[in-house]
Amino acid sequence: NLMVKVPEGVSDEDAAFATVGAIALQGVRVADLRLGEKVLVIGLGLLGLLTIQIVKASGCVVVGTDLDPKRVQLARELGADAAVVTDPALVEETVMNLTSGRGADAVIITAATKSNSPTELAGQVSRLKGRVVAVGDVGMNIPRRVYYPKELEYKISMSYGPGRYDPQYEEKGIDYPYAYVPFTEQRNMETFLQLVNEGKVTPSRLITHRFPISEAE
């Protein structure tokens, strides 16, 4: 259940992104996106930049934000409809301009910080009855004054799909019925590699260094 066939058109180097790509994909699935929805991705590290590409492949409008200007620029190059350096006022202005003042349909948090700022920002820019999904390890002290008036939904994405942390699935190889659980962690990896094969996600753009196995530690 933890292995997938690599499509012929996908390099080994790109295939090495299968697990982390499936984590990004699962966050998008938990967000339950619909064609044409407006999505904000907070945090443009490895997961965030993969998420940007997957959201675009889903037919949605996507905005990215990060503290690092280089990551913001790369997000634009990878297809983000807009990307800005993280400043709450600027992020809110950008989202509101792209949503006719309604706010984001969904916010996916792929940042890694002990701060509660991403959770607060996500609530501020969400539309009424919007959805917030935490993929990254961030502070989750949900501010009632922000979330309550909008009746927002806050979800946590658990790694790379159903089957994770289940010894029956991961260790004994017992799969879930496709009719009831169509996208397990294995099938999420398959889907991610298909997106790579179709050129909708380009992991090679995210590679900054290469090291031999002897220097892995």
Side-chain angles (χ1 to χ4, degrees):
N1 285 337
L2 303 183
M3 297 178 67
V4 297
K5 184 177 180 180
V6 179
E8 289 185 9
V10 176
S11 69
D12 289 347
E13 204 166 54
D14 282 353
F17 283 77
T19 298
V20 71
I23 294 172
L25 177 58
Q26 179 63 13
V28 173
R29 293 202 190 283
V30 173
D32 193 23
L33 303 182
R34 301 289 194 274
L35 189 69
E37 285 193 318
K38 314 300 191 297
V39 183
L40 171 65
V41 177
I42 300 176
L44 300 175
L46 180 57
L47 279 175
L49 290 169
L50 290 171
T51 299
I52 288 282
Q53 297 176 77
I54 294 170
V55 170
K56 282 303 296 180
S58 302
C60 296
V61 174
V62 61
V63 179
T65 185
D66 193 275
L67 294 169
D68 186 341
K70 292 182 180 179
R71 292 179 176 183
V72 169
Q73 179 58 35
L74 185 52
R76 295 188 188 119
E77 295 172 6
L78 292 173
D81 296 279
V84 296
V85 175
T86 304
D87 170 82
L90 179 57
V91 174
E92 185 169 7
E93 179 184 359
T94 303
V95 170
M96 292 306 169
N97 285 340
L98 281 173
T99 61
S100 301
R102 288 186 289 267
D105 297 293
V107 179
I108 302 176
I109 303 173
T110 48
T113 175
K114 294 179 180 179
S115 169
N116 203 54
S117 297
T119 293
E120 294 180 8
L121 178 59
Q124 290 169 6
V125 303
S126 290
R127 67 164 169 83
L128 185 67
K129 296 183 179 294
R131 309 178 302 279
V132 178
V133 176
V135 178
D137 186 4
V138 295
M140 293 188 292
N141 182 17
I142 298 173
R144 180 180 173 84
R145 59 179 173 75
V146 176
Y147 279 68
Y148 176 79
K150 295 182 179 180
E151 202 172 49
L152 299 178
E153 184 176 12
Y154 195 103
K155 294 183 176 181
I156 299 173
S157 178
M158 187 183 69
S159 195
Y160 55 132
R164 186 68 178 110
Y165 305 116
D166 179 357
Q168 295 293 315
Y169 180 92
E170 293 191 324
E171 297 172 22
K172 296 186 178 180
I174 300 173
D175 199 1
Y176 300 142
Y178 183 85
Y180 296 96
V181 189
F183 291 106
T184 57
E185 54 182 310
Q186 179 194 52
R187 292 190 279 271
N188 272 343
M189 287 192 290
E190 285 179 340
T191 302
F192 176 77
L193 291 180
Q194 185 59 42
L195 289 172
V196 174
N197 194 38
E198 294 172 359
K200 295 176 180 176
V201 179
T202 53
S204 58
R205 292 292 306 278
L206 308 180
I207 296 173
T208 58
H209 299 74
R210 291 174 175 81
F211 299 97
I213 290 296
S214 60
E215 296 180 19
E217 290 185 1

